[in-house]
């Protein structure tokens, strides 16, 4: 069975794209799935995270990571063989790489911080996804995700209302502004290394479960 490919994309930097990708990959690995992380971002943050994490043979949490570029569409089917899930950490711009990632994916996740600037900034990407869906019989599945929210605030509520204007599903699961997401990054850790009741970990577990349903 071919791997399920999830692309975490946003044309704007600083939207928690890499944080979301690495934590989703960690959660899937913790669930026992074979996961490949693909780093399209020239900054290479996902690759740096994976290098800090290390790859100890037999470690349940091992997440092989590859940096890719324009050869994504050509090479991804070959290198994803043997994996259950492939997570793509996209490039923070609209480019050929972004279009290639959308084309290669089963699910596109667009993390958006709850600010009007960030909401405006994702309009071109949303349109690119919709254009692909029109050409490919509704594929890939796509959804917006609120990232780095401050829970139970007016700005969070207003953000959900504003995102509805894009006419893409908005995930129920979201991530919030928490230290959980930054602690241990320098050693390749994720929220899955935190206690089972950690709020950041619970958010990622809920997000992973929702995306698994979306990709069925």
């Amino acid at each position: 069975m071919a791997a399920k490919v999830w692309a975490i994309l946003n044309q704007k930097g600083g939207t928690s794209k890499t944080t979301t990708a690495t934590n989703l990959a960690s959660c899937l690995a913790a669930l026992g799935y074979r996961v490949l992380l693909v780093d399209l971002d020239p900054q290479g943050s996902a690759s740096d995270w994976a290098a800090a994490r290390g790859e100890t043979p037999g470690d349940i949490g091992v997440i092989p990571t590859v940096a890719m570029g324009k050869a994504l569409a050509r090479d991804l089917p070959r290198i994803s063989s043997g994996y259950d899930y492939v997570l793509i950490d996209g490039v923070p711009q609209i480019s050929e790489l972004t279009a290639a990632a959308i084309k290669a994916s089963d699910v596109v996740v667009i993390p958006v911080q709850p600010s009007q600037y960030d909401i405006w900034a994702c309009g071109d990407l949303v349109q690119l996804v919709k254009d692909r869906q029109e050409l490919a019989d509704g594929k890939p599945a796509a959804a917006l995700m609120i990232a780095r929210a401050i829970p139970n605030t007016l700005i969070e509520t207003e953000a959900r209302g504003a995102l509805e204007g894009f006419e893409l599903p908005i995930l129920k699961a979201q991530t919030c502004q928490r230290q959980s997401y930054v602690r241990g990054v320098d050693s390749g850790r994720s929220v899955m290394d935190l206690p089972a009741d950690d709020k950041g970990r619970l958010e990622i577990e809920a997000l992973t479960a929702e995306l698994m349903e979306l990709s069925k």
Side-chain angles (χ1 to χ4, degrees):
M1 184 180 295
K4 293 287 187 183
V5 180
W6 298 354
I8 318 302
L9 304 176
N10 197 307
Q11 68 199 70
K12 184 177 181 294
T15 58
S16 294
K17 179 176 55 62
T18 300
T19 298
T20 302
T22 54
N23 278 286
L24 285 172
S26 297
C27 188
L28 288 165
L31 290 170
Y33 293 104
R34 297 163 296 176
V35 183
L36 176 68
L37 183 59
V38 173
D39 190 355
L40 290 187
D41 193 335
Q43 292 183 4
S45 297
S47 298
D48 290 341
W49 173 83
R53 185 180 183 85
E55 295 189 4
T56 304
D59 185 347
I60 293 174
V62 165
I63 302 170
T65 303
V66 294
M68 297 188 71
K70 293 181 180 178
L72 173 72
R74 184 193 69 196
D75 293 343
L76 189 61
R78 174 179 55 83
I79 67 169
S80 64
S81 177
Y83 292 98
D84 301 308
Y85 287 92
V86 174
L87 275 291
I88 299 175
D89 181 24
V91 59
Q93 63 188 53
I94 296 293
S95 67
E96 290 181 23
L97 276 179
T98 307
I102 293 169
K103 185 176 181 180
S105 297
D106 298 292
V107 175
V108 171
V109 183
I110 305 173
V112 185
Q113 293 189 72
S115 80
Q116 190 58 57
Y117 294 113
D118 287 77
I119 292 166
W120 283 331
C122 69
D124 290 342
L125 176 58
V126 168
Q127 190 57 54
L128 193 61
V129 170
K130 287 184 174 181
D131 290 345
R132 178 61 191 172
Q133 289 176 330
E134 285 187 13
L135 289 172
D137 195 25
K139 298 178 181 178
L144 298 154
M145 183 203 92
I146 293 180
R148 298 183 68 183
I150 301 174
N152 305 315
T153 59
L154 182 60
I155 192 169
E156 180 196 11
T157 304
E158 290 176 343
R160 283 194 174 269
L163 288 173
E164 287 174 358
F166 287 125
E167 299 181 337
L168 277 183
I170 304 169
L171 296 174
K172 293 178 183 177
Q174 63 182 32
T175 60
C176 297
Q177 191 100 316
R178 302 189 191 281
Q179 290 187 2
S180 302
Y181 293 107
V182 296
R183 285 202 308 249
V185 170
D186 59 344
S187 56
R189 300 296 93 192
S190 75
V191 295
M192 300 308 296
D193 296 296
L194 299 175
D197 62 351
D198 178 84
K199 290 182 179 179
R201 176 172 175 165
L202 292 171
E203 288 168 359
I204 291 297
E205 288 174 340
L207 179 60
T208 302
E210 192 169 355
L211 291 174
M212 289 175 75
E213 280 296 316
L214 187 62
S215 64
K216 282 184 177 178

